[in-house]
Amino acid sequence: MDRILIRGGNALAGRLPISGAKNAALTLMPCALLSEEPLTLRNLPRLADVDTFGHLLNQLGVSTLVEGARPEDFGRVMTLRANRLTSTVAPYDIVRKMRASILVLGPLVARAGEATVSLPGGCAIGNRPIDLHLKALEALGAEIELAAGYVRATAPKGRLPGGRVHFPIVSVGATENAIMAAVTASGPTRIDNAAREPEIVDLCRCLVAMGAAIEGIGTETLEIEGRERLHGATYAVMPDRIEAGSYACAAAITGGALELVGARADEMRATVDALIAAGVTVEERPGALYVAAKNGIAPLELSTAPYPGFATDMQAQFMALLTRANGASVLTETIFENRYMHVPELARMGADIRVSGRTAVVRGVDRLIGAPVMATDLRASMSLILAGLAAQGETQVNRVYHLDRGYERLEEKLSAVGANIERVSDG
Ligand code: EPZ
């Protein structure tokens, strides 16, 4: 397994490119199932999860051709062709590695009239059920059966009729599955209390480019007129707002200044507002976001919430930043029940954090000390990298395969702006 070594203390400075969004890519790729014509995705990030999703689609008979990727380029162009499906089964050995595999359920039952997908199971941050996905598909006319660890969805007459979906709680993935299932239904669909994340706006825009009829994009109420079929399209993946927020925290925690090229402030307003409240300078520039921290970090009270609230995917990174604040901060995680796995690892580096249920109190300390630490999940891993960038001495982050799921060429991007960081392979 690879490890990442960081010798902290350097203030980062320079321009850092932001890649395509992982959580947009993972819902755009299954859209290819909805048409017999090719879907070309540009600015696709070079990530382990994107590769895993490509392998899953290959198993269904979708070809995925990557073109024009020079080694020095960030991102890739992928053309996906689903003109002839060879399977409607998403197997356990892939789904267990990446729970986002569940996002083939909706488009597959819409395209083929049936889909059999392994239940994803839980992960480090929570048990993460899929009941909302299944209830939404039933509301659209699918028949659902659970057996032997798989869920099987079928459209009674081979095509979903559409219907009314109301989500009792906001769910990004369930909203995405419902949208992808509804765009080729034989009748209209209305979705209430839909998630509004920018990645869902990206999904809707890509589907509209493929010929779908969706009203209310970006709002919590979506009206969808089913189409007989969708045509191919070329679509560019949005920039990754969580990657951008993560590197903004890197600039802040090291007392540096970074220009995040490609970042869009209007898609990460809650993160920008939190940085400004912490005393960080944030300037919106054409096609970029400038982040600088010269006067220390002020403590914050933050509570995660569905978009446009403060993103749960930014909680661990801000916790790392706030370990160096001039005072005590309070973080509340309202989305997932176990998203504090980074706390004991940050404590090994000298952080002072007390967790009680969903709330963590972070008391700023004068310094962090580098140490060997263990990555447990994607965003927790990033919080350890951030702490290592600011710590005195060397930090060794183990199990960096977690990082490779969501951060494209992290050590290259950080080295280029002054970090003393290297990847060591045990292989
Ligand atoms: C997406 O996960 C993201 N993943 C997550 O990012 C992100 O943290 C999450 O949305 C919240 O923003 C992708 O887009 C691939 P949810 P998802 O359904 O769709 C509960 C990262 O680090 N729930 O919005 O799985 C669930 O347990 C990852 O990039 C049900 O109860 O999240 C959670 O408490 C981590 N039943 C809450 O809803 C369901 O059927 C929100 O989950 C579905 C979800």
Side-chain angles (χ1 to χ4, degrees):
M1 279 191 243
D2 290 1
R3 289 167 289 141
I4 284 185
L5 302 180
I6 304 172
R7 291 169 192 82
N10 296 2
L12 304 185
R15 289 163 56 88
L16 189 149
I18 298 302
S19 298
K22 168 180 83 80
N23 291 348
L26 296 181
T27 192
L28 294 176
M29 292 172 76
C31 290
L33 291 164
L34 292 166
S35 173
E36 294 181 2
E37 297 177 16
L39 171 64
T40 295
L41 295 175
R42 313 187 63 78
N43 195 34
L44 202 67
R46 202 190 300 255
L47 297 171
D49 274 9
V50 169
D51 292 344
T52 302
F53 213 109
H55 297 152
L56 170 59
L57 291 173
N58 295 156
Q59 296 228 2
L60 303 176
V62 181
S63 71
T64 52
L65 177 69
V66 173
E67 33 184 312
R70 295 176 307 162
E72 62 274 22
D73 289 338
F74 288 106
R76 290 173 292 179
V77 176
M78 179 185 282
T79 295
L80 301 98
R81 284 183 175 80
N83 47 334
R84 196 175 56 79
L85 298 186
T86 55
S87 168
T88 60
V89 179
Y92 174 65
D93 67 321
I94 290 188
V95 177
R96 70 182 174 80
K97 279 190 288 188
M98 181 186 62
R99 56 170 289 102
S101 308
I102 193 67
L103 294 176
V104 300
L105 184 63
L108 203 48
V109 68
R111 165 70 182 273
E114 62 170 45
T116 304
V117 178
S118 167
L119 292 170
C123 73
I125 62 178
N127 71 4
R128 301 181 75 181
I130 60 166
D131 56 310
L132 299 176
H133 296 245
L134 304 184
K135 289 195 182 79
L137 292 180
E138 282 179 321
L140 297 176
E143 287 176 5
I144 301 289
E145 51 186 308
L146 297 173
Y150 279 76
V151 58
R152 179 170 164 72
T154 48
K157 300 189 179 68
R159 188 178 178 195
L160 292 172
R164 289 205 58 168
V165 178
H166 173 79
F167 286 113
I169 63 167
V170 170
S171 163
V172 171
T175 300
E176 290 165 345
N177 252 330
I179 293 169
M180 291 189 281
V183 287
T184 58
S186 56
T189 291
R190 177 186 167 105
I191 301 176
D192 290 310
N193 201 27
R196 300 164 49 196
E197 271 65 7
E199 292 75 20
I200 290 178
V201 171
D202 224 29
L203 168 65
C204 291
R205 286 176 178 158
C206 178
L207 290 169
V208 166
M210 295 173 72
I214 306 174
E215 296 297 329
I217 295 176
T219 75
E220 63 184 38
T221 303
L222 296 172
E223 303 275 3
I224 298 171
E225 274 305 317
R227 288 283 188 262
E228 190 69 32
R229 67 184 67 259
L230 299 188
H231 52 69
T234 294
Y235 190 80
V237 180
M238 66 176 275
D240 195 317
R241 61 191 174 102
I242 304 301
E243 184 197 26
S246 301
Y247 287 125
C249 288
I253 201 171
T254 60
L258 290 177
E259 185 167 74
L260 305 172
V261 180
R264 295 177 187 162
D266 59 359
E267 292 170 348
M268 48 191 289
R269 192 57 63 192
T271 294
V272 168
D273 291 348
L275 288 166
I276 292 169
V280 178
T281 300
V282 181
E283 281 173 25
E284 297 179 36
R285 296 180 175 174
L289 197 63
Y290 174 76
V291 181
K294 306 288 183 203
N295 309 313
I297 301 299
L300 296 175
E301 284 206 27
L302 284 174
S303 186
T304 63
Y307 192 87
F310 182 74
T312 176
D313 291 350
M314 285 302 308
Q315 178 257 111
Q317 298 90 310
F318 266 79
M319 183 179 285
L321 175 61
L322 293 168
T323 66
R324 300 283 290 109
N326 307 314
S329 301
V330 181
L331 295 176
T332 304
E333 173 55 63
T334 68
I335 306 292
F336 291 110
E337 66 267 27
N338 187 31
R339 205 165 195 179
Y340 286 137
M341 309 278 279
H342 41 289
V343 170
E345 297 305 307
L346 290 171
R348 290 171 48 76
M349 300 176 70
D352 179 353
I353 305 167
R354 297 279 184 281
V355 173
S356 171
R358 297 271 185 137
T359 298
V361 177
V362 183
R363 287 181 175 77
V365 292
D366 290 339
R367 71 183 63 80
L368 296 173
I369 310 297
V373 288
M374 185 74 72
T376 52
D377 60 85
L378 172 55
R379 307 305 174 183
S381 314
M382 191 55 173
S383 77
L384 302 179
I385 295 287
L386 295 173
L389 290 170
Q392 285 179 355
E394 180 177 278
T395 296
Q396 174 182 293
V397 180
N398 296 297
R399 296 189 183 175
V400 291
Y401 58 85
H402 291 293
L403 270 174
D404 295 338
R405 299 187 57 170
Y407 290 95
E408 183 175 15
R409 297 161 63 178
L410 172 134
E411 63 272 15
E412 285 178 50
K413 292 189 179 184
L414 285 172
S415 297
V417 291
N420 186 334
I421 183 171
E422 62 175 319
R423 177 184 288 254
V424 174
S425 173
D426 290 346

